[in-house]
Structures are given as structure tokens and as C-alpha cells.
Amino acid sequence: MNTALEYSRRIYVSTNFSCNLNCVYCFEKNKNDIEFDVDEAVSILEKMLMEKTEHGTKIKLHGGEPFLVFPKIKQLCETLWKKQFPEYYHFSVTTNGTLIHGEIKRWLYENRDKITLKLSLDGNRKSHNINRSNSFDKIDLDFFVQTWKDVRLNMVITPATLLDVAENVKYLHSQGFNQIYSRFSLMTDWKKCHLEKEFYHQMLNLAQFYLDNPAIVPCEFFSYDISWTLADESFTALCNIGNCRAFDFQTRKYYPCHMCFPSVCGEKKSSELEHIEMKEDNEHKEECCIHCPFINICKTCYAENYIMRGSVSRRDTSLCGYQKIVFVVLFKYEYARIMKLESPTLHDVSKMQAIQKWYPMIKLIEENLING
């Protein structure tokens, strides 16, 4: 079966704009009762699935909370499953997990080979409840782990949970989750959060945990390929925009990604984003980004950059310190990991070359953190 990274095409379907939670970092500011039309969705998807790609299509269903409109999701999936298409496809739904009980749970389990869930879970009970409306106890964690072997967790870090990152990640691993996408919250005021030194120790704690437990798949903070920093220019997609076609049933239009929906950024900026080239350029980049040794591995959101700062190339510099901490500790982790190997691969050798090249810069950043 295809993995998430192998799909040639991703279709993003906005199912609804309502939610049963009020998460502190939610970027869907204009919640309403509009829901997608099943017949219209079937018609659109039928046409697209008649076009065969190299590695198949992922159909991503996203809200609001999609399972508030479960009958429509069920009808959409079962209608398409009855038809024959030349294209391989798979459904993926991002959910807060609070409604996955009873009939919904039974239906998902019966169709677990054709539909996968991505769960938003921000850590242990304390941290999750801070970020996500006291919803921890409404989620059946065991169901997700037992139904999908490598179910993906979207773990969002906010200023309020920053000091518990290591504890939260280790807790999620202890519950059986292997794919933890750890990311800082977007559209958040990080300027008042002066906790870089404390976060540095959180990351060191996590690095040691992964070194002591090499069989555990590290969270996303430790997934960046540091060998890419050797290249003169970025040759990787720092933003996933353009990898999927996002269809908004509120406006009945396609967008470069769901962050461009009017419900996220307003009608004016949404209209502007439709006609902007989603590609960074040095003319509009911050000076500190142009000369940063980590620019090739520092992921960013082009839409968020434009929405908040007026240019796809202008990143959130208030997050710069925390991003650098992630990369500094990642370099230290990779060095310790590779030194333990009896027979490093060629890829490991290239990573060690990157470590040697950036060692003075890494030590400088580290000393500033310790003495700051």
C-alpha cells in the first residue's frame, strides 16, 4: 500500500466549517454551518480519479471537525468505493478524535484498509487540555493505535506547552504512537515567549531518549536531513503548498492549499493568494534567513507568511530562536547516533560532513543559549 509520501496527487476536500472544540491555536476563524454537498463531491472526485497518476491519489477530508458530518462522509466514501477507477486512491481524515465512538468507530474499523485517520493530540492530559478545550478524556487512544499501525499524530506546540515538550513526546510514544509530527503553532505570538534556554534542555532530553531507544521512530523535530545544509540552494519542498488541490465547498473553488481558504485568511487575502507565485525569493527574505546555515531544512508555510507578513518569503522570525535550537540539538543527536554505528552508510557520512562544516556555528549558538 502507498505511504503518505508516495502519492502523486493529493486532493483536499473541506467537509465543513464547524467544530465541537475551541482550540487555542485554531486558524479557522470564520466558523459556520456550511457543509459539503455529497453529490457535488462525488462528481468532482469521479472526474479526477479517471486520470491515472504514477503513485495514486490521497483524498484528504478536513474540517472543522469532519465527523460532525459523518453521514455525509460515509455516503461519499461508500459511493466511490462501489465504482471502478483506473486510479488507486485512499481517504485520509484529520480529526480531533472526540467523536470516534459507537457507529463511527465500527464503520472506521470495518474500512480501515481504505480510510486512515490523522489524530490531533498535543501530548499528555495536562498539555492537551490546555491547548484543546479539555478534550483528552473524550478520545479513545487505544482505538487509533490498534486500528492503524502507523497512525499519524499532529502534535502542536504552543507557548503554554513548550516546557513540557519532552514529557509529552515520550508520553505519546509510551501509548504506542510511532508517527509524531511535532510542530510549532502558526499565527501565534511567540515574541513574548522567552523560553529558548528551557526549550534547549527539553530538546536535549528528547535527543538522549532517542539515543537510548534507537528502535523508536523519532518525532518530526529529529527527521530533518542535515546533509541538505551542504547544498548551495534548497532542493526540497520547504512548504507543501501546490502538492494538493484544495477544494472549498463554501466558495466552490480550488486553492493552492487549505490555508488559502477565505474562512482562514479572509476574502481579500484569499483572492490575492490565488494569484501569487508560491516560491521564495531572496529579495523579500529577511536578512537573517538569507545567511542562515539551516535555511535548506527550515520548513515554512508560504500562505501563513503572506497572511501575517505580506510576503511568502517573510518567515516568522519570532520563532527563529526555537527553530535553531531544534537544528542545533538535531546536529548533536546525529553526531552521537553516527558515532555509535559500526558501519555508517554513505548518507551518514554526508551528514557527518555537514556536522563538521557547521560545528563552529553550532557551538556559538549553543554558548549563547547557555550564557544567555
Side-chain angles (χ1 to χ4, degrees), residues 133-300:
S133 300
N134 297 307
S135 60
F136 184 89
D137 291 326
K138 299 177 182 178
I139 307 170
D140 185 348
L141 300 185
D142 289 339
F143 172 74
F144 286 88
V145 173
Q146 294 167 7
T147 305
W148 297 281
K149 178 183 177 183
D150 292 316
V151 62
R152 166 175 165 171
L153 286 189
N154 292 335
M155 174 187 168
V156 178
I157 298 161
T158 64
T161 63
L162 189 71
L163 297 185
D164 296 312
V165 167
E167 179 183 344
N168 284 329
V169 171
K170 287 190 280 187
Y171 169 78
L172 294 175
H173 282 308
S174 75
Q175 298 304 299
F177 293 103
N178 298 314
Q179 301 293 329
I180 302 174
Y181 284 62
S182 48
R183 297 180 179 178
F184 298 107
S185 58
L186 298 177
M187 300 187 187
T188 298
D189 184 6
W190 287 92
K191 293 179 181 178
K192 299 178 182 179
C193 182
H194 303 294
L195 296 170
E196 287 88 351
K197 187 174 182 178
E198 292 83 352
F199 179 61
Y200 168 69
H201 290 292
Q202 288 287 312
M203 288 297 298
L204 287 178
N205 186 324
L206 261 185
Q208 189 59 53
F209 170 75
Y210 287 128
L211 289 170
D212 293 339
N213 299 276
I216 295 178
V217 178
C219 67
E220 189 178 34
F221 281 151
F222 293 84
S223 68
Y224 301 100
D225 189 338
I226 63 173
S227 67
W228 294 345
T229 62
L230 297 173
D232 293 332
E233 295 182 3
S234 172
F235 56 91
T236 60
L238 298 175
C239 176
N240 288 327
I241 201 163
N243 288 347
C244 63
R245 298 187 69 188
F247 188 80
D248 181 2
F249 280 90
Q250 183 168 353
T251 60
R252 287 172 167 73
K253 291 173 61 177
Y254 287 103
Y255 295 87
C257 82
H258 68 286
M259 291 291 290
C260 302
F261 288 177
S263 62
V264 174
C265 59
E267 293 185 7
K268 183 176 184 296
K269 287 191 175 179
S270 175
S271 178
E272 293 168 355
L273 282 165
E274 288 184 77
H275 304 96
I276 290 175
E277 185 179 6
M278 296 296 175
K279 183 179 180 181
E280 291 186 89
D281 62 89
N282 286 340
E283 182 180 352
H284 295 98
K285 271 184 187 174
E286 299 286 355
E287 191 70 19
C288 60
C289 291
I290 296 174
H291 302 292
C292 180
F294 308 128
I295 189 66
N296 286 0
I297 58 175
C298 184
K299 289 185 179 180
T300 186

